[in-house]
Amino acid sequence: GGGSGAHALHGMTLRLPSVQPTEVVFSARCRRLYSNAHAYHINSLSVNSDCETYISADDLRINLWHLESSNTSFNIVDIKPTNMEDLTEVITSAEFHPTQCNLFAYSSSKGSIRLADMRSNALCNAHCKLFDEQEPPGTRSFFSEIIASISDVKFSRNGRYILSRDYLTLKLWDINMEAKPVATFRVHEHLRSKLCDLYESDSIFDKFQCCLSADGEHLTSGSYGNQFRTFDTATGGADTLEVTKNPQRLRQARVDAA
């Protein structure tokens, strides 16, 4: 029996699989669509620490969603006036507190940050804390409100601090001190003398995001020219890094500069 089996195998062609290198492509697919709750462009999404709910914010409203319910949301902030001609500011960013699921912060185009508590009211228009730095007397100009508009807010991991980004600066706020930030980091100070040109080109309305390191000791935010700035919260030291697909060009530029 064994000899006949070996004879049968002898007449067969042995085929081995081959490995072909291919480019890995990652693609995303929509699993759930949350719709029909905003009349304006959504500027922020933030998942709650309870891992069950999240908020979405547009210029005038912030809505609370449950991750498992795509057709129902609850309006928790609404600053739309009865007469739109009375509108003086818009919501620019919103984020949940990292550990306390009842707290969230949202910023405005007037440069203020509001901390709201969902335990106080169903509609959180009445904030529990307002973080707003007053301008020194005699420094206000035509561009003051434009460059004060906050484009992004982020909590530190422990929830003690809030980082905000306006056009020229990063500001670090202690949630227990509302009158002024504990530190200000100048990102675009060299552009202060060019605000008129930036206004003419609409660049003064550009938005930049920000973030903190896990230990809260470093901050970073975007800039122009494929660059971003990093800051040391303890020393105030700053570094400028460039994102490029051609690192050889940067090496050559350093050689030429030397």
Side-chain angles (χ1 to χ4, degrees), residues 2-54:
S4 61
H7 179 74
L9 287 173
H10 183 71
M12 294 176 62
T13 303
L14 184 62
R15 307 182 73 129
L16 296 175
S18 61
V19 178
Q20 298 291 336
T22 58
E23 183 179 351
V24 179
V25 178
F26 296 95
S27 61
R29 63 186 180 89
C30 181
R31 298 182 61 184
R32 188 173 285 118
L33 180 64
Y34 305 83
S35 59
N36 302 322
H38 288 281
Y40 304 93
H41 292 300
I42 296 171
N43 57 47
S44 298
L45 296 171
S46 180
V47 178
N48 200 344
S49 59
D50 63 12
C51 297
E52 294 182 355
T53 57
Y54 74 94

Side-chain angles (χ1 to χ4, degrees), residues 165 168 170 185-190 211 219-224 227-231 236-241:
R165 172 66 201 265
L168 295 178
L170 281 166
F185 305 89
R186 306 192 184 283
V187 183
H188 286 158
E189 191 61 27
H190 63 285
C211 65
L219 322 171
T220 187
S221 186
S223 182
Y224 291 108
Q227 296 179 341
F228 62 95
R229 305 289 310 281
T230 63
F231 298 89
D239 287 312
T240 301
L241 305 176

Side-chain angles (χ1 to χ4, degrees), residues 70-82:
S70 59
N71 56 4
T72 305
S73 66
F74 300 93
N75 181 223
I76 55 175
V77 173
D78 188 346
I79 64 169
K80 184 178 181 179
T82 304

Side-chain angles (χ1 to χ4, degrees), residues 176-212:
N176 297 318
M177 191 169 74
E178 303 170 52
K180 63 178 182 178
V182 294
T184 299
F185 305 89
R186 306 192 184 283
V187 183
H188 286 158
E189 191 61 27
H190 63 285
L191 296 179
R192 191 176 293 274
S193 62
K194 303 175 182 178
L195 294 179
C196 187
D197 295 334
L198 293 165
Y199 179 79
E200 292 294 331
S201 65
D202 284 343
S203 297
I204 200 171
F205 301 104
D206 290 343
K207 307 299 182 186
F208 299 92
Q209 294 182 317
C210 61
C211 65
L212 301 92

Side-chain angles (χ1 to χ4, degrees), residues 57-121:
D58 65 24
D59 287 353
L60 300 178
R61 292 187 175 94
I62 299 177
N63 293 327
L64 177 69
W65 301 79
H66 194 283
L67 289 167
E68 298 300 325
S69 178
S70 59
N71 56 4
T72 305
S73 66
F74 300 93
N75 181 223
I76 55 175
V77 173
D78 188 346
I79 64 169
K80 184 178 181 179
T82 304
N83 184 354
M84 286 297 286
E85 292 183 359
D86 297 330
L87 183 67
T88 59
E89 63 182 332
V90 296
I91 298 168
T92 56
S93 182
E95 176 159 288
F96 263 123
H97 191 280
T99 59
Q100 300 184 45
C101 61
N102 54 291
L103 296 178
F104 67 95
Y106 63 98
S107 59
S108 83
S109 57
K110 279 195 168 182
S112 61
I113 303 169
R114 292 172 172 85
L115 187 67
D117 190 340
M118 292 190 294
R119 296 174 302 184
S120 59
N121 287 291

